[in-house]
């Protein structure tokens, strides 16, 4: 099968969150199953052109009232099987992508021209195929930035070589839908009848994700539980009705983890590799973590780690909210050390800085660091992830793989991947709570800390159970193949 991933992020080139990990890892897993996979992303300013190969000629992209021209670069995706390599194509357009930031910068978190940037990119996806004379069976779009791809396929592009192509849209996060003034609509070159028919209309605005959900041949999100939750009013971000309407074509497929990158037995970012058979490296990682965060090197004190975007989705209000957040009382009352690596909303970064200055056992690194994120996963005793909602979540999967039981809220993919600790039977892989309140986070963290000091052998057994879990991409990629096949079959039996 020929599959083209159209995305706004893909590791190792551009990443703001788990989407980037998921796109590349899924592509690699599909290639390992023998499929022909390519990826197309924008050539952001931060992607060094010197390391890419430029294709001959320019790409003409019809948008708005005219045409934009862009260059195309290409590279081989690292980690893909040598016998079935994956080409990544980069759409290079100075005006749209030749600047700092993927979706925005701190001073302008959502670039004003984002609707035009990603409309341009979605049109470029089709032009790229034409230029390469390579037509995929499956056009796989991810989240709102490429949600227009299924819309363009359905309304206009599905002719000639694209006649048999189907579209699949993966929702990594329903909270970001790409809602903009319909003044930008002319840029899509679609007619006003399509505006309503495709479902772009959203209270007189234009909504990219809503239209993608309406038009894609098949839809999925990144865990079965989030697929159910998003069809309810509580988690549907106003699109639950639309998702219920499409429920026959909508499913949940759990993300996996890239075990070449996130594997304590091979990790080069930690001082000494470790595995179930020899856990000595974990103690070394804890030592290194305490040193990196300038905490006393005490092996007996449990370290609670966090790596996160500091946004409401991640439950940071209940944890760091000024005066009511529980991080303060957790650090004041419990004999623990707390390390945080993250960036995000300004109020939260400020609050975190203020906590670091007031508490000797709370240390934070405001910033993005791949190396440190591995050390936090490996060196911590517990990993905290109190998400408000979580489509899948990769960090809790990494922490399980590194023998660091996660403390999570019972929501989305967290509920699908973590089993709550049962201190009677000694079973479970993490600690879970239902309500997102400062008290619930406090109590559940307290429970984990209590278990650490009083049921140590059970906690050690729990680490091993976590490390034994199998979250390989292979299983998930097989499910995507089934989804692609069911879309292609449905289309072949009903081509119009
Ligand atoms: P989301 O995509 O919603 O942010 P996930 O848990 O799916 O949540 O994925 C987050 C990814 O981003 C993980 O790979 C995590 O390690 C990484 N990450 C988030 N913040 C940072 C940071 N400050 N430094 C390094 N990596 C980070
Ligand atoms: C999103 C979600 C996260 C998921 C990731 C990859 O960023 O917030 O839960 O793991 O996408 O699918």
């Amino acid at each position: 099968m020929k599959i083209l991933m159209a995305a706004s992020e893909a590791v190792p080139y551009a990443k703001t969150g788990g989407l980037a990990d998921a796109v590349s890892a899924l592509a690699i897993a599909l290639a390992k199953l023998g499929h022909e996979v390519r990826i197309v992303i924008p050539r952001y300013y931060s992607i060094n052109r010197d390391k890419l190969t430029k294709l001959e000629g320019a790409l003409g992209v019809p948008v708005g009232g005219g045409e934009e021209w862009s260059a195309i670069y290409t590279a081989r995706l690292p980690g893909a099987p040598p016998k079935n390599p994956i080409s990544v194509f980069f759409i290079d357009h100075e005006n749209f992508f030749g600047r700092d930031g993927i979706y925005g910068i701190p001073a302008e978190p959502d670039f004003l021209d984002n609707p035009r940037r990603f409309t341009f990119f979605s049109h470029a996806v089709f032009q790229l195929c034409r230029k390469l004379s390579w037509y995929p069976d499956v056009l796989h779009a991810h989240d709102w930035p490429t949600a227009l791809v299924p819309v363009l396929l359905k309304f206009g592009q599905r002719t000639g070589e694209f006649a048999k192509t189907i579209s699949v849209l993966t929702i990594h996060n329903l909270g970001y839908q790409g809602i903009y003034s319909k003044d930008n609509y002319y840029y899509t070159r679609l007619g006003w009848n399509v505006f309503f028919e495709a479902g772009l209309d959203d209270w007189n605005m234009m909504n990219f994700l809503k239209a993608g959900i309406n038009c894609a041949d098949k839809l999925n999100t990144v865990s079965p539980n989030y697929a159910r939750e998003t069809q309810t009013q509580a988690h549907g971000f106003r699109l639950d009705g639309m998702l219920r309407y499409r429920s026959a074509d909508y499913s949940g497929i759990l993300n996996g983890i890239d075990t070449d990158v996130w594997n304590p037995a091979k990790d080069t970012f930690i001082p000494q590799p470790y595995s179930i058979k020899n856990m000595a490296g974990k103690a070394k990682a804890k030592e290194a973590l305490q040193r990196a965060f300038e905490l006393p090197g005490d092996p007996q004190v449990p370290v609670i780690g966090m790596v996160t975007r500091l946004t409401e989705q991640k439950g940071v209000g209940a944890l760091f909210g000024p005066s009511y957040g529980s991080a303060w009382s957790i650090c004041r009352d419990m004999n623990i050390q707390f390390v945080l690596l993250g960036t995000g909303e300004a109020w939260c970064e400020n609050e975190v800085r203020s906590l670091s200055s007031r508490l000797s056992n709370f240390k934070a690194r405001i910033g993005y660091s791949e190396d440190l994120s591995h050390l936090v996963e490996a060196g911590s005793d517990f990993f905290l992830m109190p998400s408000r909602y979580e489509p899948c979540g990769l960090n809790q999967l990494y922490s399980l793989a590194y023998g660091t039981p996660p403390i999570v809220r019972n929501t989305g993919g967290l509920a699908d991947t973590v089993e709550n600790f049962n201190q009677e039977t000694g079973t479970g892989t993490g600690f879970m709570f239902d309500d997102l309140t400062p008290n619930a986070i406090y109590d559940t963290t307290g429970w984990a800390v209590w278990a650490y000091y009083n049921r140590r052998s059970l906690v050690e057994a729990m680490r091993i159970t976590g490390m034994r879990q199998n979250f390989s991409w292979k299983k998930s990629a097989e499910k995507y193949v089934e989804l692609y096949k069911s879309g292609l079959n449905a289309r072949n039996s009903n081509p119009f």
Side-chain angles (χ1 to χ4, degrees):
M1 215 181 293
K2 288 196 232 168
I3 302 146
L4 179 60
M5 300 281 169
S8 51
E9 303 181 23
V11 288
Y13 309 104
K15 169 166 168 175
T16 67
L19 164 69
D21 296 281
V23 167
S24 298
L26 171 60
I28 292 172
L30 288 166
K32 285 185 180 159
L33 295 177
H35 298 286
E36 194 178 335
V37 192
R38 297 182 175 186
I39 299 177
V40 54
I41 61 170
R43 204 290 297 182
Y44 301 106
Y45 190 55
S46 55
I47 304 173
N48 187 352
R49 275 194 282 229
D50 297 345
K51 300 207 171 125
L52 312 175
T53 310
K54 191 168 192 262
L55 294 194
E56 285 275 313
L59 190 73
V61 182
V63 274
E67 195 166 32
E68 290 287 338
W69 290 88
S70 86
I72 307 165
Y73 287 81
T74 185
R76 287 279 164 90
L77 184 69
K83 287 201 183 124
N84 189 13
I86 297 174
S87 295
V88 184
F89 295 91
F90 302 84
I91 306 293
D92 186 52
H93 188 283
E94 198 52 35
N95 197 24
F96 286 141
F97 302 120
R99 59 178 94 158
D100 279 338
I102 293 185
Y103 311 110
I105 50 173
E108 189 187 354
D110 189 12
F111 290 133
L112 263 181
D113 58 350
N114 270 346
R116 270 170 292 135
R117 294 169 82 222
F118 290 106
T119 296
F120 162 77
F121 179 70
S122 301
H123 269 292
V125 169
F126 293 91
Q127 295 301 81
L128 173 71
C129 297
R130 293 198 173 93
K131 185 172 171 64
L132 300 173
S133 294
W134 184 85
Y135 297 90
D137 300 301
V138 180
L139 262 174
H140 191 156
H142 298 264
D143 274 353
W144 82 262
T146 52
L148 210 54
V149 169
V151 180
L152 296 177
L153 181 66
K154 184 166 177 184
F155 291 94
Q157 297 281 6
R158 196 175 247 154
T159 57
E161 303 280 5
F162 285 112
K164 291 193 169 153
T165 300
I166 61 150
S167 62
V168 171
L169 173 67
T170 297
I171 301 168
H172 295 264
N173 195 331
L174 201 58
Y176 300 90
Q177 298 180 4
I179 305 175
Y180 297 99
S181 159
K182 66 184 190 320
D183 291 353
N184 297 291
Y185 184 61
Y186 80 99
Y187 214 64
T188 64
R189 290 191 143 215
L190 298 167
W192 280 107
N193 57 328
V194 173
F195 187 72
F196 298 99
E197 212 180 315
L200 278 147
D201 173 43
D202 188 7
W203 293 89
N204 223 19
M205 301 284 278
M206 91 188 231
N207 183 327
F208 282 75
L209 190 66
K210 175 169 172 276
I213 290 174
N214 192 37
C215 294
D217 291 292
K218 289 284 169 186
L219 296 168
N220 81 298
T221 186
V222 286
S223 70
N225 191 34
Y226 194 62
R228 282 187 295 274
E229 287 177 347
T230 44
Q231 294 179 63
T232 65
Q233 209 181 2
H235 293 274
F237 285 99
R238 299 185 307 119
L239 297 186
D240 46 299
M242 181 76 102
L243 288 167
R244 285 197 298 275
Y245 175 69
R246 299 260 8 228
S247 60
D249 296 312
Y250 179 46
S251 58
I253 303 177
L254 209 57
N255 285 329
I257 60 178
D258 184 339
T259 46
D260 285 331
V261 181
W262 291 98
N263 184 344
K266 307 189 192 173
D267 199 321
T268 51
F269 295 121
I270 59 175
Q272 184 185 313
Y274 62 92
S275 65
I276 290 173
K277 286 200 195 102
N278 183 355
M279 293 287 281
K282 188 157 174 66
K284 288 261 183 296
K286 180 167 174 176
E287 240 177 82
L289 180 67
Q290 289 170 323
R291 216 174 314 120
F293 280 81
E294 293 171 2
L295 284 161
D298 184 345
Q300 296 312 322
V301 178
V303 177
I304 296 174
M306 249 185 122
V307 180
T308 186
R309 290 184 291 121
L310 298 170
T311 66
E312 221 23 65
Q313 177 197 344
K314 301 296 176 183
V316 293
L319 196 56
F320 300 120
S323 82
Y324 64 90
S326 54
W328 162 263
S329 36
I330 289 172
C331 291
R332 183 198 52 195
D333 299 349
M334 301 179 201
N335 188 16
I336 57 144
Q337 296 175 340
F338 196 125
V339 298
L340 167 80
L341 169 65
T343 54
E345 290 167 18
W347 75 264
C348 193
E349 291 190 355
N350 289 338
E351 203 51 39
V352 161
R353 282 198 191 94
S354 144
L355 281 178
S356 323
S357 68
R358 288 180 291 146
L359 291 160
S360 58
N361 57 346
F362 179 92
K363 299 283 180 188
R365 193 69 64 86
I366 303 288
Y368 192 94
S369 160
E370 202 68 30
D371 312 16
L372 258 189
S373 71
H374 284 247
L375 193 59
V376 174
E377 293 285 4
S380 302
D381 289 290
F382 300 105
F383 191 88
L384 182 58
M385 206 164 161
S387 304
R388 176 172 295 279
Y389 70 95
E390 197 60 75
C392 176
L394 295 175
N395 275 314
Q396 86 282 9
L397 301 183
Y398 301 153
S399 77
L400 288 167
Y402 280 73
T404 307
I407 302 169
V408 301
R409 180 156 175 258
N410 184 5
T411 189
L414 299 173
D416 279 337
T417 54
V418 179
E419 190 197 332
N420 202 5
F421 178 55
N422 180 328
Q423 65 200 47
E424 308 305 325
T425 56
T427 54
T429 55
F431 299 83
M432 239 186 223
F433 56 94
D434 292 330
D435 298 327
L436 182 56
T437 59
N439 277 347
I441 302 177
Y442 181 95
D443 289 347
T444 313
T445 306
W447 182 29
V449 171
W450 172 85
Y452 179 90
Y453 282 116
N454 300 290
R455 295 287 184 276
R456 193 58 172 274
S457 60
L458 294 184
V459 171
E460 296 310 318
M462 194 176 191
R463 296 191 198 289
I464 305 298
T465 315
M467 291 170 83
R468 288 217 169 95
Q469 307 289 305
N470 174 9
F471 293 111
S472 84
W473 264 108
K474 183 171 184 287
K475 261 194 303 185
S476 309
E478 283 165 354
K479 293 199 173 134
Y480 275 98
V481 172
E482 278 169 34
L483 185 72
Y484 299 155
K485 282 190 180 154
S486 71
L488 286 164
N489 288 340
R491 174 124 197 99
N492 287 342
S493 58
N494 177 20
F496 299 102

